[in-house]
Amino acid sequence: MAASTPETGRNRTSLGARAREAVRERIVDGRYPMGARLVEREVAEELRMSRVPVREALRALVAEGLLELLPHSGVRVRRLERDDVRYLYEVWEPLAVQASRLAARRVAGTADGVAPGLDALRASLARAEEAAGEEEGAREVAAHTEFHERIVALAGNPLLARTMEQLSWQLQLLFGMREEPAHMRAQHAEIFRHIAAGDEDLAAASTLLHVRDSRAVALRSLFGDSTLYT
C-alpha cells in the first residue's frame, strides 16, 4: 500500500521530483508504453509513495508533454505522431551536427588537444557499455542522452545548450526504441573519436549519419516504416 504520511514543504517537493523521475524512466524504457492510461492510485502504490507527490509528478509530466489529460479519467502516455517525429528531427539534426562540429573545434583549439569536458564525454560512452544488455534499458538510454548533452556542453555555446535541453525528454523517448543498441554505441564511439581528434568535418558527418539512423529506427518502431513525410 502507498504510504499515508502527509508530506509538506521541501520533503513533498523532493518526493514529487523523485516520482516525476520514476514515472519518466518507466515511460522512456517502455514499462509505461505510449497510449497507456496511468491511474494515480496504482502509480502511487507501485512507487510506494502517497498520492500527493505522484499527483504533482503527473501534472508536471503533462506540462512537459510526456503525458496527456483524458476527459474525466486521469492521464495517459502521449502517443507520438509522425509529425511529432518529423518536427523533432528537423530541429535536432542541424543542432546535433553543429554541436559536434563546435566540440571538435574546441578540442583542436586547445594546446594539448584535451578540452574541458572530453573526459566526461568518454565517461558517457563507458556508462552505456556498462549498461548494455540490461533488460529494461533505462540506464543505457540515460547514458546515450547524456552523451549528446556532453557534446553540447563541450561545444561551449550556452544558447545551443538551452535549445537542446528543451528536446531532452523527446530524445530519451526515441532513444528507448533500440533496434540495434550495439550499432548506436558504435556510432557514438565513432563520433567521440572524431571529436577527440579535433576533426570537425568528420565529427559533423558521423553525427549526421547517426541522427538519420536514429530517425529511421524511431519511425520504424512507431509506424512500421521509415517514411518521414506522408
Side-chain angles (χ1 to χ4, degrees):
M1 293 293 292
S4 58
T5 305
E7 304 91 0
T8 58
R10 182 179 299 178
N11 183 49
R12 188 175 70 183
T13 301
S14 175
L15 286 172
R18 282 172 48 200
R20 185 171 66 252
E21 289 306 310
V23 174
R24 184 188 287 117
E25 180 179 288
R26 284 161 170 77
I27 294 171
V28 167
D29 67 23
R31 281 178 282 176
Y32 295 163
M34 291 185 191
R37 180 171 174 263
L38 301 186
V39 179
E40 181 184 297
R41 172 182 51 78
E42 294 174 357
V43 174
E45 290 179 354
E46 181 179 346
L47 300 182
R48 298 185 178 182
M49 292 183 177
S50 76
R51 294 172 67 168
V52 174
V54 169
R55 184 178 305 126
E56 292 177 355
L58 297 182
R59 286 174 178 167
L61 292 172
V62 167
E64 286 184 23
L66 270 176
L67 301 177
E68 58 186 359
L69 290 171
L70 293 172
H72 312 297
S73 58
V75 298
R76 70 180 172 195
V77 180
R78 182 183 165 206
R79 293 183 184 275
L80 290 179
E81 303 297 336
R82 196 181 296 267
D83 278 348
D84 294 320
V85 178
R86 175 167 66 87
Y87 298 150
L88 173 62
Y89 279 94
E90 285 178 346
V91 174
W92 184 43
E93 180 180 298
L95 293 181
V97 169
Q98 183 66 2
S100 290
R101 183 178 290 280
L102 292 174
R105 188 178 300 172
R106 283 193 75 195
V107 171
T110 58
D112 55 3
V114 182
L118 195 58
D119 285 343
L121 187 59
R122 183 184 290 108
S124 295
L125 286 177
R127 276 190 282 277
E129 288 291 343
E130 291 170 2
E134 292 183 358
E135 184 176 351
E136 291 173 350
R139 282 207 310 139
E140 186 174 356
V141 171
H144 288 319
T145 306
E146 181 186 81
F147 177 78
H148 287 283
E149 291 171 347
R150 297 294 188 188
I151 292 175
V152 171
L154 185 55
N157 185 314
L159 179 58
L160 178 62
R162 289 196 297 273
T163 305
M164 290 289 282
E165 186 177 2
Q166 297 177 37
L167 308 179
S168 179
W169 74 260
Q170 293 167 299
L171 293 177
Q172 288 184 60
L173 189 59
L174 296 177
F175 287 159
M177 299 171 188
R178 304 169 301 158
E179 285 185 345
E180 299 178 6
H183 182 59
M184 178 183 284
R185 293 195 299 274
Q187 287 187 330
H188 281 186
E190 181 179 359
I191 293 168
F192 173 80
R193 285 195 299 272
H194 296 319
I195 290 175
D199 191 325
E200 58 180 273
D201 288 337
L202 286 179
S206 57
T207 301
L208 178 61
L209 176 62
H210 169 60
V211 171
R212 290 185 175 176
D213 279 357
S214 172
R215 182 184 69 193
V217 168
L219 288 168
R220 282 196 297 270
S221 297
L222 288 168
F223 311 112
D225 64 73
S226 56
T227 304
L228 186 60
Y229 297 95
T230 58

